[in-house]
């Protein structure tokens, strides 16, 4: 089992920045592929970013490329998402996710992630 707890969401003006964090526990964090997704009420989860166990491979959704950066600190079991130049359309609940299988490949698919946090709300005003 993996427990994930997100933090860092809030209200920000368009053009501003936020940094989200995800604290992981319960498994060897350094072996887990991790991801960030976002979801609005009544909509499907959208891939935001993913990072492999070593931090050497990163992938981003098209809508956030060049603005968001995913990173991890394996020593402190923490996943981060730096979000710059935020836009009103970035408003969503942001969820941290982990894949069950150690050393799994980076994936954009919701079904490839087995553990999810409760989410943190990000609201961008125009």
């Amino acid at each position: 089992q993996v427990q994930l707890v997100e933090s860092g969401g809030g209200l920000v003006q368009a053009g501003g920045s936020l940094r989200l964090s995800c604290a992981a526990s319960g498994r060897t964090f350094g072996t887990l592929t991790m991801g960030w997704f976002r979801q609005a009420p009544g909509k499907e989860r959208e891939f935001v970013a993913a990072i492999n166990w070593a931090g050497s491979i990163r992938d981003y959704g098209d809508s956030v490329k060049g603005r968001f950066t995913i990173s991890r600190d394996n020593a402190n079991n923490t996943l981060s998402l730096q979000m710059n130049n935020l836009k009103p359309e970035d408003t969503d609940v942001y969820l941290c996710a982990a894949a069950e299988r150690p050393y799994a490949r980076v994936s954009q698919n919701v079904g490839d992630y087995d553990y999810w946090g409760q989410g943190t709300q990000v609201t961008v005003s125009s």
Side-chain angles (χ1 to χ4, degrees), residues 6-34:
E6 302 93 337
S7 62
L11 173 64
V12 64
Q13 288 188 334
S17 298
L18 279 176
R19 186 177 182 86
L20 304 184
S21 294
C22 173
S25 60
R27 286 276 298 276
T28 305
F29 180 74
T31 67
L32 301 177
T33 290
M34 302 293 296

Side-chain angles (χ1 to χ4, degrees), residues 63-69 82-87 90:
S63 61
V64 307
K65 281 181 182 176
R67 300 188 297 124
F68 291 11
T69 302
Q82 178 66 42
M83 306 186 294
N84 298 330
N85 190 22
L86 282 160
K87 304 175 181 180
D90 294 319

Side-chain angles (χ1 to χ4, degrees), residues 11-117:
L11 173 64
V12 64
Q13 288 188 334
S17 298
L18 279 176
R19 186 177 182 86
L20 304 184
S21 294
C22 173
S25 60
R27 286 276 298 276
T28 305
F29 180 74
T31 67
L32 301 177
T33 290
M34 302 293 296
W36 286 100
F37 290 76
R38 62 189 185 187
Q39 187 171 24
K43 293 189 176 181
E44 294 184 352
R45 287 180 183 177
E46 177 190 0
F47 172 73
V48 174
I51 188 168
N52 74 333
W53 60 277
S56 57
I57 299 173
R58 306 176 188 187
D59 191 21
Y60 296 93
D62 289 340
S63 61
V64 307
K65 281 181 182 176
R67 300 188 297 124
F68 291 11
T69 302
I70 189 172
S71 62
R72 66 188 298 157
D73 181 347
N74 287 347
N76 290 300
N77 294 350
T78 302
L79 177 73
S80 298
L81 184 69
Q82 178 66 42
M83 306 186 294
N84 298 330
N85 190 22
L86 282 160
K87 304 175 181 180
E89 51 264 43
D90 294 319
T91 296
D92 264 326
V93 174
Y94 283 71
L95 303 108
C96 172
E100 166 77 30
R101 187 167 62 88
Y103 311 112
R105 288 187 176 183
V106 166
S107 172
Q108 297 189 0
N109 297 322
V110 171
D112 287 334
Y113 294 86
D114 305 282
Y115 301 101
W116 296 85

